[in-house]
Amino acid sequence: MLPFEISVAEVAQMRASQTSFVLLDVREPWEIETANIAGSKDIPMNEIPARANNELDPDAHIVVVCHHGARSLSVTAWLRREGYDNVQSMAGGIEQWSREIDGNVPRY
């Protein structure tokens, strides 16, 4: 099984090498409007239980992102309990992404 967390550098490397994965943004719509990573699938955390089975492939590699990493850890744990084995939380969230990978992504 994959490690529970993945670093922003590892996610950036996967994007650069065009590795197949789903970047699942679990922040609220106003947060996504403020700052986002292009190509993410946006499902607010509170909608995950209702939408996961219809919108997420349980066999896909899914990287969950939020603002700082707390919500993504919770969603990762929930998805793994539901049988999504290839789910990881992006450590530090979009805040860390902005600091380390893409300074054009606004911090809030």
Coordinates of all heavy atoms in Angstrom, one line a residue, residues 6 11-12 27 43 59 61 71 99 105:
I6 N 1.9 12.2 0.7 CA 2.8 12.4 -0.4 C 3.2 13.8 -0.4 O 2.4 14.7 -0.1 CB 2.2 12.0 -1.8 CG1 3.2 12.1 -2.9 CG2 0.9 12.8 -2.0 CD1 2.6 11.4 -4.2
V11 N 4.3 15.1 -6.0 CA 3.1 15.4 -6.8 C 3.5 16.1 -8.1 O 3.1 15.8 -9.2 CB 2.0 16.1 -6.0 CG1 0.8 16.5 -7.0 CG2 1.5 15.2 -4.9
A12 N 4.4 17.1 -7.9 CA 4.8 17.9 -9.0 C 5.6 17.0 -10.0 O 5.5 17.2 -11.2 CB 5.7 19.1 -8.5
R27 N -11.5 21.2 -0.8 CA -11.8 22.5 -0.2 C -13.2 23.0 -0.7 O -13.8 22.4 -1.6 CB -10.7 23.5 -0.6 CG -9.4 23.1 0.0 CD -8.2 24.0 -0.5 NE -8.2 24.0 -1.9 CZ -8.0 25.1 -2.7 NH1 -7.9 26.3 -2.1 NH2 -7.9 25.0 -4.0
I43 N -14.3 18.2 -5.2 CA -15.5 17.7 -4.4 C -15.3 18.1 -3.0 O -14.4 17.7 -2.3 CB -15.6 16.2 -4.5 CG1 -15.7 15.6 -5.9 CG2 -16.8 15.7 -3.7 CD1 -15.7 14.1 -6.0
D59 N -9.9 2.1 -8.1 CA -8.5 1.6 -8.5 C -7.6 2.7 -8.9 O -6.4 2.4 -9.1 CB -8.7 0.6 -9.6 CG -9.5 -0.6 -9.2 OD1 -9.4 -1.1 -8.1 OD2 -10.3 -1.1 -10.0
H61 N -5.1 6.0 -8.7 CA -4.3 6.7 -7.7 C -4.9 8.1 -7.5 O -5.0 8.8 -8.4 CB -2.8 6.8 -8.2 CG -1.9 7.4 -7.3 ND1 -0.6 7.8 -7.6 CD2 -2.0 7.7 -6.0 CE1 0.0 8.3 -6.6 NE2 -0.8 8.3 -5.6
R71 N -7.8 18.4 6.3 CA -9.0 17.8 5.7 C -8.6 16.7 4.7 O -9.3 15.7 4.7 CB -9.8 18.9 4.9 CG -10.6 19.8 5.8 CD -11.3 20.9 5.0 NE -10.3 21.9 4.7 CZ -10.6 23.1 4.0 NH1 -11.8 23.3 3.5 NH2 -9.7 24.0 3.8
R99 N 4.1 27.5 -1.7 CA 5.4 27.9 -1.2 C 6.6 27.2 -2.0 O 7.6 27.8 -2.2 CB 5.5 27.5 0.3 CG 4.7 28.3 1.2 CD 4.8 27.7 2.6 NE 4.0 28.5 3.6 CZ 4.5 29.4 4.4 NH1 5.8 29.6 4.4 NH2 3.7 30.0 5.2
V105 N 0.3 30.4 -7.4 CA -0.9 30.0 -6.8 C -1.1 30.9 -5.5 O -0.2 30.9 -4.7 CB -0.9 28.5 -6.4 CG1 -2.1 28.1 -5.6 CG2 -0.8 27.6 -7.7

